[in-house]
Amino acid sequence: MQSVKDRNPNQPEFVQAVQEVAEDIYGWVEDRDDYHEAQILQRITEPDRITSFRVVWEDDDNDIRVQRGWRVQNNNAIGPYKGGLRFSPGVNESVLKFLAFEQTFKNSLTGLPMGGGKGGSDFDPHGKSDAEVMRFCQSFMTELYRHIGPQVDVPAGDIGVGPREIGYLFGQYKRITGRWEGVLTGKELSYGGSQMRPEATGFGAVYFLREMMKAEDEELEGKTAIISGSGNVALYAAQKLLDCDAKVLTLSDSDGTIEIKDGLNRDQLEWIQELKFERRGRISEAADEFDGIEYHDGKTPWSVEADVAMPCATQNEIDKDAAKELCGNDVRFVVEGATMPTTADAMELLRGEGVVLAPAKAANAGGVAVSGLEMSQNAERMSWERERLDSLLTDIMADIHHKCRTAGKGDDGSIDYRRGANIAGFEKVADAMLAYGVL
Ligand code: NDP
């Protein structure tokens, strides 16, 4: 870890992500001489390559704006680089390196042949017109196109990159190269997208939760859940929880939290999905619209009593204080819908209190799994039915759960899902790297 810190100064998110994996796998790799002789640990913490580039675009007032773009191609040992693009002012190289590192092991867990990558820009889509977003996306792709391809690197969406942005990016790729090919996932159905892709991450996280509960002889039906975020992952997780007859007590955005004391109902959820996906409004508007919903400005959901917490917004959103609140309220299950939403000290506290924690790289792998299935559909020029994809997603999440449980079983029979996810995800990538020799 010291050499990782020395080689990556001022990159706290990346160091945090490596530390988390290292802690979990170190005991397991200790007597793997083949890994040590081949320097697998050192090689796996060094991205294959990082491309950074200037993105210039013109806003609606004809002012010229300059942004920075990146693609981190972390590791392609088990398949083409695969991972989303994030457009957010907080994006920097450290954040993208951490996301690409995490993505590598997550993709490995799905069992599909996908390596790990991530990219994005410090561009902030909030408050921008469609025309501004289009001009930015076109400029971004004008550089990115030369680094990606269906057999090379297949980006998708992430925070700030949804169907609208994917449409502009894909259109520009097609215009520059003259090729229609499955170079991006998360596309709309009209031009090669997959059924179930929008729902996959949120639904998948709930499928994972259901498996964890089953293993503990518990049922999801009747349980209460607090969710953070109100984007793609949060709102589809909420939808699946309602399908399973669980109660959703909160949603949030970066301004504040809504609390729904009697539990979110279908009409409210549909209204909020329209608000966030179509009108790009703020979550506070739900409290203006519905009597049973209260808005708490500047607050997070973590003080509300529930059985399950699902952080589905962003990294490090559950810190030690939030973890104390969760434990004080007897939250039994934490399911990481977002990537690395729990700080290291919060994680330690939750583990110490016996909270069952579904780590992000397992719990939110449903999205990339269906992205992998979108790649297969594009390659065979086919479009599979929703039921088939939902059933594949359910099986993949059950399989990931099984792998995490098996690899995460301690000598005393206790289960550590985070350790299991890290070991199972790491092993496949490391073995492929060993097979290739020294490169
Ligand atoms: P969206 O952009 O659709 O939604 C993000 C949500 O989180 C919004 O409600 C946003 O609020 C809120 N949010 C963003 N930043 C903050 C912050 N600093 N504090 C509080 N709330 C914040 O993104 P997704 O739902 O796609 O992604 C959410 C998380 O899930 C990310 O960590 C992503 O990496 C992860 N993930 C997503 C996958 C997918 O398929 N979409 C797949 C796997 C992981 P606001 O509108 O105010 O910005």
Side-chain angles (χ1 to χ4, degrees):
M1 276 315 300
Q2 192 54 50
S3 86
V4 170
K5 285 178 190 159
D6 293 345
R7 287 205 313 277
N8 302 281
N10 307 317
Q11 300 201 334
E13 293 87 358
F14 178 65
V15 171
Q16 182 184 342
V18 175
Q19 173 97 39
E20 188 204 288
V21 173
E23 271 172 16
D24 284 342
I25 61 157
Y26 199 73
W28 179 78
V29 294
E30 213 169 10
D31 44 9
R32 288 289 305 255
D33 291 342
D34 47 353
Y35 287 171
H36 293 300
E37 277 160 23
Q39 296 284 8
I40 292 291
L41 292 184
Q42 196 166 344
R43 282 158 62 185
I44 218 162
T45 56
E46 201 59 56
D48 289 356
R49 75 188 57 76
I50 300 171
T51 308
S52 115
F53 48 95
R54 184 178 66 231
V55 187
V56 186
W57 59 285
E58 197 173 346
D59 68 18
D60 287 345
D61 298 323
N62 300 113
D63 288 329
I64 302 299
R65 305 278 201 103
V66 182
Q67 239 78 49
R68 197 172 274 183
W70 290 268
R71 186 70 184 163
V72 179
Q73 295 178 328
N74 190 61
N75 188 301
N76 67 353
I78 61 169
Y81 304 105
K82 180 91 199 84
L85 297 171
R86 178 175 290 192
F87 292 168
S88 165
V91 163
N92 57 42
E93 202 171 296
S94 169
V95 168
L96 294 176
K97 275 174 69 178
F98 119 64
L99 289 167
F101 183 77
E102 280 280 306
Q103 191 82 43
T104 302
F105 304 114
K106 181 196 307 191
N107 293 0
S108 161
L109 277 176
T110 66
L112 300 174
M114 298 182 291
K118 204 84 189 188
S121 171
D122 53 5
F123 173 75
D124 184 0
H126 288 112
K128 303 287 190 304
S129 69
D130 285 352
E132 289 177 321
V133 171
M134 180 186 75
R135 288 194 291 273
F136 173 79
C137 288
Q138 290 179 341
S139 183
F140 185 85
M141 184 52 86
T142 300
E143 173 59 33
L144 185 68
Y145 89 94
R146 65 187 90 242
H147 307 291
I148 60 177
Q151 309 299 335
V152 180
D153 183 354
V154 184
D158 190 70
I159 293 179
V161 179
R164 172 182 63 168
E165 290 75 18
I166 293 289
Y168 295 144
L169 291 163
F170 188 73
Q172 183 72 352
Y173 179 88
K174 192 169 68 62
R175 173 158 80 172
I176 295 173
T177 62
R179 289 197 298 271
W180 194 111
E181 53 191 8
V183 71
L184 291 173
T185 58
K187 303 187 289 298
E188 289 194 37
L189 287 178
S190 58
Y191 61 95
S194 175
Q195 298 275 3
M196 285 297 297
R197 176 61 190 90
E199 297 90 340
T201 309
F203 279 22
V206 176
Y207 293 156
F208 194 93
L209 169 65
R210 214 167 50 184
E211 291 294 321
M212 286 199 318
M213 285 189 159
K214 220 193 296 171
E216 305 270 320
D217 283 329
E218 296 213 30
E219 281 196 352
L220 185 47
E221 189 183 339
K223 295 283 188 303
T224 51
I226 46 179
I227 300 182
S228 68
S230 50
N232 173 280
V233 181
L235 294 182
Y236 286 115
Q239 185 173 323
K240 188 46 71 181
L241 285 170
L242 296 198
D243 290 347
C244 298
D245 295 320
K247 263 190 183 180
V248 174
L249 302 181
T250 66
L251 290 166
S252 71
D253 61 20
S254 49
D255 295 331
T257 292
I258 55 165
E259 186 177 351
I260 316 107
K261 288 217 159 65
D262 294 334
L264 190 73
N265 65 38
R266 290 263 167 209
D267 290 345
Q268 292 166 337
L269 176 64
E270 278 168 25
W271 188 90
I272 293 171
Q273 286 177 332
E274 203 263 338
L275 169 80
K276 298 303 274 190
F277 297 151
E278 309 294 329
R279 291 190 278 131
R280 297 173 197 282
R282 308 305 301 158
I283 199 68
S284 59
E285 294 172 49
D288 303 334
E289 179 71 17
F290 297 101
D291 284 343
I293 299 186
E294 263 179 56
Y295 176 64
H296 307 297
D297 195 40
K299 290 266 168 18
T300 60
W302 313 129
S303 59
V304 174
E305 269 181 46
D307 302 305
V308 178
M310 294 192 69
C312 296
T314 192
Q315 66 266 13
N316 291 331
E317 53 174 317
I318 297 188
D319 58 12
K320 199 171 176 182
D321 289 340
K324 276 185 197 155
E325 284 189 297
L326 297 178
C327 294
N329 285 335
D330 293 330
V331 166
R332 299 263 335 281
F333 296 89
V334 172
V335 181
E336 296 188 327
T339 307
M340 203 169 77
T342 313
T343 62
D345 48 2
M347 178 80 74
E348 205 177 309
L349 200 143
L350 294 172
R351 283 170 134 184
E353 293 289 324
V355 173
V356 185
L357 185 127
K361 56 174 78 67
N364 72 21
V368 74
V370 174
S371 274
L373 303 176
E374 182 174 334
M375 289 163 71
S376 303
Q377 292 169 79
N378 290 168
E380 62 175 36
R381 301 269 186 268
M382 290 291 287
S383 184
W384 302 344
E385 283 178 1
R386 190 179 164 82
E387 291 67 30
R388 176 177 177 190
L389 284 151
D390 195 19
S391 150
L392 285 167
L393 173 64
T394 309
D395 291 349
I396 289 172
M397 295 313 296
D399 180 55
I400 295 175
H401 175 264
H402 176 72
K403 282 179 188 150
C404 295
R405 224 180 141 79
T406 309
K409 196 165 195 164
D411 295 338
D412 58 356
S414 64
I415 304 291
D416 183 337
Y417 282 98
R418 193 189 90 171
R419 185 162 176 272
N422 281 329
I423 291 174
F426 175 89
E427 187 176 17
K428 187 171 164 197
V429 178
D431 286 348
M433 289 172 75
L434 269 187
Y436 300 142
V438 180
L439 43 90

